């Protein structure tokens, strides 16, 4: 996919991913105890929708921009839109867009802690600049999968790991994710893991779902948003999130969220969404 996120900031996949991330973080905040947050492929943290990379694709026009004038939004979308607007206070239009680390920073409390990993040197430098002075976060220029192996379990045992790779290895990325999750489960079986993945061809995703089903995890919830039929390798037809050990009754929030996203972000009559327990122990 050769996926540099600056070209795709604020697109439909970001809306999907970031609204779910907000729900997961808010669920962790529902208890007074602190939590930990790890982002294995953190990116720059902050993106400009008017720079050359973003304007070249203009994908935000069919993503976050569609939500700005929408009404009667589900709770998670409403929070998401407000967070984006808060970064653009005083502007007539949305210029700055938050990546996952910045969204986490806006939601996390003083006692919560984050570990952010970004292998690309230029992006890691930008990430450090975006979160400069925020002592809650440790930022590492390193491979996120290696960080999972080295840094889990976290000192604060409640928490979330977001795995959001660029999928440059295509099908091979799923195999790397499977190994990372299997190793992580040996050290931190109670953690929540959220894995974002692209959908082009359904047959590329099915082996990953089969692995999750037989992985030994007690609870695995899968949610997907498709804008086009999943039968072409030439475009991003949709995306999904596999959530291991989701918060209690989290599926109810997704039941409200997904139909709304399908309506708000749809690009034709083939849009659909999916919510399924692969494992529900």
């Amino acid at each position: 996919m050769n996926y540099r996120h600056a070209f795709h900031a604020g697109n439909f996949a970001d809306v999907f991913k970031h609204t779910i991330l907000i729900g997961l973080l808010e669920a962790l905040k529902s208890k007074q105890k602190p939590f930990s947050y790890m982002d294995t492929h953190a990116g720059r943290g902050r993106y400009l929708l008017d720079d050359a990379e973003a304007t070249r694709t203009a994908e935000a026009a069919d993503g976050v921009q569609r939500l700005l004038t929408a009404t009667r939004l589900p709770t998670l979308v409403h929070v998401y839109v407000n967070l984006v607007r808060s970064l653009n206070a005083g502007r007539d239009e949305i210029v700055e867009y938050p990546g996952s680390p910045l969204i986490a920073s806006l939601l996390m409390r003083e006692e919560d802690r984050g570990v952010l990993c970004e292998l690309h040197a230029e992006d890691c430098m930008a990430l450090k600049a975006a979160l400069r002075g925020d002592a809650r976060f440790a930022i590492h220029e390193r491979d996120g999968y290696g960080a999972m192996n080295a840094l889990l379990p976290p000192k604060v045992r409640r928490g979330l790991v977001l795995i959001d790779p660029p999928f440059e290895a295509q099908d091979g990325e799923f195999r790397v994710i499977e190994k990372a999750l299997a190793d992580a489960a040996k050290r931190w079986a109670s953690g929540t893991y959220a894995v974002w993945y692209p959908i082009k061809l359904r047959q590329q995703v099915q082996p990953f779902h089969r692995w999750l089903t037989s992985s030994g995890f007690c609870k695995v919830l899968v949610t997907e948003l498709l804008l086009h039929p999943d039968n072409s390798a030439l475009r991003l037809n949709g995306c999904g999130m596999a959530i291991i050990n989701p918060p209690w009754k989290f599926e109810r929030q997704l039941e409200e969220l997904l139909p709304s996203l399908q309506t708000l972000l749809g690009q034709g009559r083939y849009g659909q969404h999916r919510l399924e327990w692969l494992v529900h122990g």
Side-chain angles (χ1 to χ4, degrees), residues 6-272:
F7 289 98
H8 311 284
N11 71 353
F12 82 91
D14 262 359
V15 175
F16 172 84
K17 173 177 58 184
H18 289 152
T19 50
I20 295 174
L21 174 63
I22 287 168
L24 292 170
L25 292 171
E26 291 289 1
L28 286 167
K29 286 170 59 179
S30 66
K31 295 183 179 180
Q32 293 186 351
K33 294 181 179 179
F35 67 83
S36 61
Y37 170 71
M38 174 181 279
D39 195 329
T40 61
H41 299 75
R44 296 182 187 177
R46 185 191 302 261
Y47 301 89
L48 297 177
L49 299 183
D50 62 352
D51 69 9
E53 294 163 314
T55 56
R56 177 177 166 184
T57 59
E59 291 185 14
D62 284 326
V64 62
Q65 299 284 5
R66 287 198 183 186
L67 308 183
L68 301 180
T69 57
T71 58
R72 302 182 66 180
L73 297 173
T75 300
L76 295 182
V77 181
H78 182 72
V79 174
Y80 166 76
V81 170
N82 283 346
L83 287 179
V84 174
R85 288 191 184 280
S86 72
L87 293 178
N88 293 272
R91 296 191 179 103
D92 294 331
E93 58 184 15
I94 300 299
V95 176
E96 294 189 47
Y97 184 80
S100 301
L102 194 53
I103 287 175
S105 75
L106 295 170
L107 295 176
M108 288 167 58
R109 303 161 300 189
E110 186 63 32
E111 64 269 26
D112 302 323
R113 292 295 179 266
V115 174
L116 309 175
C117 303
E118 175 51 50
L119 185 59
H120 191 281
E122 181 183 343
D123 286 355
C124 189
M125 186 180 302
L127 177 62
K128 290 178 179 179
L131 292 175
R132 184 174 289 120
D134 195 331
R136 297 172 299 173
F137 290 92
I139 301 175
H140 303 275
E141 184 182 327
R142 66 182 298 180
D143 173 68
Y145 299 122
M148 288 176 64
N149 187 55
L151 303 178
L152 294 181
K155 292 182 180 179
V156 179
R157 294 300 182 95
R158 295 179 62 243
L160 166 68
V161 177
L162 175 65
I163 303 175
D164 175 28
F167 274 85
E168 292 175 344
Q170 301 288 333
D171 291 1
E173 194 77 46
F174 283 118
R175 309 293 83 78
V176 177
I177 292 170
E178 290 164 5
K179 184 179 186 309
L181 288 173
D183 291 342
K186 297 174 184 176
R187 297 185 303 280
W188 195 33
S190 62
T192 297
Y193 300 86
V195 183
W196 179 91
Y197 56 88
I199 303 175
K200 292 185 173 183
L201 296 172
R202 175 57 56 183
Q203 56 262 40
Q204 294 174 329
V205 179
Q206 289 171 333
F208 178 53
H209 286 182
R210 287 195 292 268
W211 182 87
L212 287 169
T213 301
S214 61
S215 62
F217 289 110
C218 294
K219 292 186 178 181
V220 181
L221 181 64
V222 163
T223 177
E224 294 180 348
L225 177 67
L226 281 164
L227 303 187
H228 309 285
D230 50 3
N231 59 4
S232 172
L234 300 179
R235 64 184 177 189
L236 184 64
N237 296 309
C239 59
M241 185 86 80
I243 308 171
I244 297 168
N245 299 327
W248 186 59
K249 294 185 178 179
F250 189 64
E251 69 275 16
R252 294 186 180 179
Q253 293 190 60
L254 298 181
E255 287 170 354
E256 178 189 24
L257 174 67
L258 291 172
S260 178
L261 290 185
Q262 181 180 326
T263 299
L264 291 166
L265 303 175
Q267 296 181 12
R269 61 190 180 92
Y270 295 107
Q272 57 181 293

